[in-house]
Amino acid sequence: MNIRQRHDTIVRTLRRNGTSTIDDLACEVGASRRTLLRDICALRDEGFVIHSESGRGGGVQLDPQSMQTTARLSVAEVFALLISVAAMRAAQNLPFSDLADAGLAKIEKSLPSDKVRDLRRFLDCLHIGQLSPTQDLSDLGRIDPALLPAFETAFLGQLHLRFEYCDAKGAKTSREVEPQAMLILQPLWYLVAWDPDRDDFRHFRMDRISKPECIDGTTFRRRHVPFEDDVCPYKDLPQ
């Protein structure tokens, strides 16, 4: 586990178990006692109230009212929450939309200014539309979790993106493109990119993309994507 994963696991374990020993926590996260103690100090610095009890039967305990006072969410994580809510709203499948929006507003308020700026730029690339009722969804697959962090780096840095792509016929190719936009036609998600090899825009289904990789030292200019009339930028969605 990396540091962030350890911290998340420690907090979840303490919330679930109430009290745990240092040895049990160290075993849970696969770290030494010394590393675990450093992690607990770091969590306290973030605002978590963690009590320690020495002696036989002692351990560490997280105050149930405790919460972190510094935001650790990445731009990609907040973006994922926003687009998930947007996708459900577009599909008219979000029964608690007001509560979801209120929760997201609190999360956004906790972000530092540089992350807010990056989030706005990222959201400018997002568009929502309606899927044709005749679309075949029989081959719908799972989207690679590595895709969104790669998109964040590529879109914000305006870097070329290389990936493996499997088309509808099962043919696999290696692509290097200029990512221009993301399009949600729930339940299908697309990367819209300028393909230099074909000198044109291409739509790539995200569930057919694998092994995404940003290419350092390559830059591109943003282009106007000619979407259909029923496609709406995220920022113009009714809230």
Side-chain angles (χ1 to χ4, degrees):
M1 293 185 183
N2 58 33
I3 294 176
R4 182 167 183 174
Q5 290 172 326
R6 289 203 312 271
H7 288 186
D8 289 343
T9 300
I10 291 168
V11 172
R12 284 199 305 268
T13 300
L14 289 176
R15 287 200 188 280
R16 183 176 65 243
N17 297 343
T19 300
S20 293
T21 67
I22 294 295
D23 288 339
D24 286 344
L25 283 174
C27 182
E28 179 78 18
V29 301
S32 66
R33 283 177 57 90
R34 178 175 296 181
T35 297
L36 196 283
L37 290 171
R38 285 201 301 265
D39 288 339
I40 289 176
C41 287
L43 287 169
R44 284 170 172 158
D45 290 341
E46 291 177 7
F48 288 104
V49 179
I50 301 177
H51 304 290
S52 300
E53 298 180 9
S54 59
R56 184 178 180 85
V60 291
Q61 183 179 53
L62 177 68
D63 187 322
Q65 303 300 318
S66 173
M67 62 183 294
Q68 67 186 96
T69 56
T70 57
R72 294 189 297 156
L73 288 171
S74 69
V75 169
E77 287 170 332
V78 178
F79 184 83
L81 290 171
L82 287 168
I83 61 178
S84 296
V85 170
M88 287 187 288
R89 181 183 288 114
Q92 299 181 346
N93 189 28
L94 188 61
F96 307 110
S97 58
D98 291 343
L99 285 174
D101 288 336
L104 286 171
K106 292 177 182 178
I107 291 173
E108 290 180 72
K109 285 180 181 178
S110 70
L111 293 175
S113 59
D114 58 331
K115 287 189 177 183
V116 172
R117 184 169 55 251
D118 286 345
L119 179 62
R120 288 173 180 169
R121 289 178 57 206
F122 209 3
L123 287 172
D124 283 342
C125 303
L126 181 63
H127 293 71
I128 312 290
Q130 294 291 331
L131 187 67
S132 168
T134 61
Q135 176 71 46
D136 180 15
L137 299 175
S138 61
D139 63 342
L140 184 62
R142 178 175 176 270
I143 295 177
D144 187 340
L147 207 53
L148 192 56
F151 281 178
E152 178 190 2
T153 301
F155 276 101
L156 297 183
Q158 293 185 221
L159 300 175
H160 285 210
L161 187 69
R162 180 186 296 140
F163 54 83
E164 301 298 316
Y165 192 70
C166 181
D167 66 18
K169 297 180 180 179
K172 296 183 179 180
T173 56
S174 179
R175 304 294 186 93
E176 184 174 328
V177 300
E178 302 171 1
Q180 300 289 334
M182 282 168 282
L183 173 63
I184 299 178
L185 303 178
Q186 187 70 1
L188 296 181
W189 299 52
Y190 292 88
L191 166 67
V192 184
W194 180 262
D195 190 333
D197 290 339
R198 294 163 175 77
D199 197 31
D200 200 359
F201 289 104
R202 287 289 185 271
H203 287 58
F204 300 96
R205 268 180 47 174
M206 293 189 195
D207 59 314
R208 295 175 177 169
I209 298 176
S210 61
K211 301 178 181 178
E213 177 188 6
C214 296
I215 311 301
D216 291 333
T218 60
T219 58
F220 63 87
R221 63 182 177 87
R222 291 289 301 276
R223 300 172 185 264
H224 172 70
V225 182
F227 284 114
E228 300 292 336
D229 292 339
D230 62 346
V231 172
C232 177
Y234 174 86
K235 62 183 179 181
D236 293 339
L237 283 177
Q239 301 298 319

